Amino acid sequence: MEEVGLAAATHDVSLWALFMQAGFVVKLVMLGLIAASVWTWAIVIDKFMSYSRARRQFDQFEQVFWSGQSLEELYRTLAERNNSGLAAMFVAAMREWKKSFERGARSPIGLQMRIDRAMDVTLARESETLEARLASLATIGSAAPFVGLFGTVVGIMTSFQAIAGSKSTNLAVVAPGIAEALLATAIGLVAAIPAVIAYNKFSGEAGKLTARMEGFADEFSAILSRQIDEKLQPRQAAQ
């Protein structure tokens, strides 16, 4: 009993003490996992704010777009701005529309294809922006538990080597080393669980916003298709 009491007194089992007493490899693993956790929460905060801002911008643009305002007037308002989302797709389509008519477009099919291609390119760029850094969350969520497990394995191996050297299997002697090793797994889970939850949530949010842009592209393409027919048919009839 005296040996157990002495061993317990000489070992501080607080989290900070366990970290400081860990070996170099285990400590390096813990620091890496802590950095990954900080990076995860930075992405979570950034994505939460950017997706909220994107939804507001989509709502505001759709309200103006469907208010009956002239497309030309709306284009002049947005053309000089740094647009994103639905506004960026609208400006890209209108810019191609105006360039084609300024150059005397004759083929409605060709004009429609160019407008659709301009919106597709913008849609791909905006979708890539929405999904930026989500791959980091997926990587952290899948890899962090295994990295933590690696630190635990190394820590347990070191503990058993120390046990063999001291020739003592007393629980009070063994427990601190095992606790240090298991702390790496705990930190790995702390990093991985929020990353997995955030990845699933934000992937769904990005998918919804992308689907919303695709729906707008289809609707706007139909509107421009009707206007192309109205503009080009009299020109073709006159020829």
Side-chain angles (χ1 to χ4, degrees):
M1 293 295 295
E2 292 180 359
E3 181 183 354
V4 173
L6 181 61
T10 56
H11 287 287
D12 185 356
V13 292
S14 65
L15 294 179
W16 176 251
L18 292 176
F19 172 77
M20 295 304 297
Q21 294 165 12
F24 174 76
V25 175
V26 179
K27 194 175 294 184
L28 190 63
V29 167
M30 291 181 185
L31 289 174
L33 292 172
I34 291 171
S37 181
V38 172
W39 177 236
T40 294
W41 284 106
I43 294 175
V44 167
I45 294 171
D46 175 70
K47 286 299 178 184
F48 180 81
M49 296 175 62
S50 62
Y51 286 172
S52 298
R53 183 169 58 250
R55 285 192 295 269
R56 288 195 304 270
Q57 290 175 347
F58 282 20
D59 292 339
Q60 291 170 359
F61 175 81
E62 286 185 327
Q63 184 177 3
V64 174
F65 182 81
W66 296 111
S67 66
Q69 182 179 359
S70 167
L71 296 181
E72 291 287 343
E73 182 181 348
L74 181 58
Y75 173 72
R76 287 193 296 270
T77 302
L78 297 175
E80 301 303 324
R81 298 181 183 178
N82 184 19
N83 300 292
S84 62
L86 299 181
M89 295 180 63
F90 170 80
V91 170
M94 288 297 295
R95 184 176 291 120
E96 182 60 40
W97 162 280
K98 294 181 71 65
K99 286 181 179 179
S100 296
F101 275 104
E102 288 172 359
R103 296 173 183 175
R106 297 176 181 274
S107 170
I109 297 177
L111 175 55
Q112 186 70 52
M113 289 180 62
R114 288 193 297 273
I115 291 174
D116 290 343
R117 180 63 59 85
M119 286 195 290
D120 288 343
V121 171
T122 305
L123 173 62
R125 184 171 61 249
E126 295 299 319
S127 298
E128 184 177 354
T129 301
L130 289 173
E131 296 172 0
R133 294 184 296 280
L134 292 185
S136 298
L137 293 178
T139 301
I140 293 172
S142 60
F146 296 102
V147 175
L149 183 60
F150 169 75
T152 296
V153 170
V154 172
I156 290 176
M157 289 173 59
T158 304
S159 296
F160 278 121
Q161 291 173 350
I163 291 170
S166 63
K167 298 180 181 180
S168 172
T169 58
N170 192 296
L171 184 60
V173 177
V174 176
I178 302 299
E180 295 166 13
L182 292 176
L183 181 60
T185 297
I187 296 176
L189 294 175
V190 168
I193 292 173
V196 172
I197 295 173
Y199 174 77
N200 292 331
K201 174 178 172 54
F202 291 136
S203 293
E205 291 288 336
K208 291 178 182 178
L209 292 172
T210 300
R212 196 168 170 181
M213 288 190 290
E214 290 174 348
F216 171 78
D218 293 338
E219 290 178 322
F220 191 43
S221 179
I223 293 172
L224 291 181
S225 179
R226 289 192 293 269
Q227 295 204 9
I228 289 171
D229 291 341
E230 293 174 1
K231 286 181 174 291
L232 291 184
Q233 283 180 353
R235 182 185 299 179
Q236 293 173 347
Q239 294 175 350

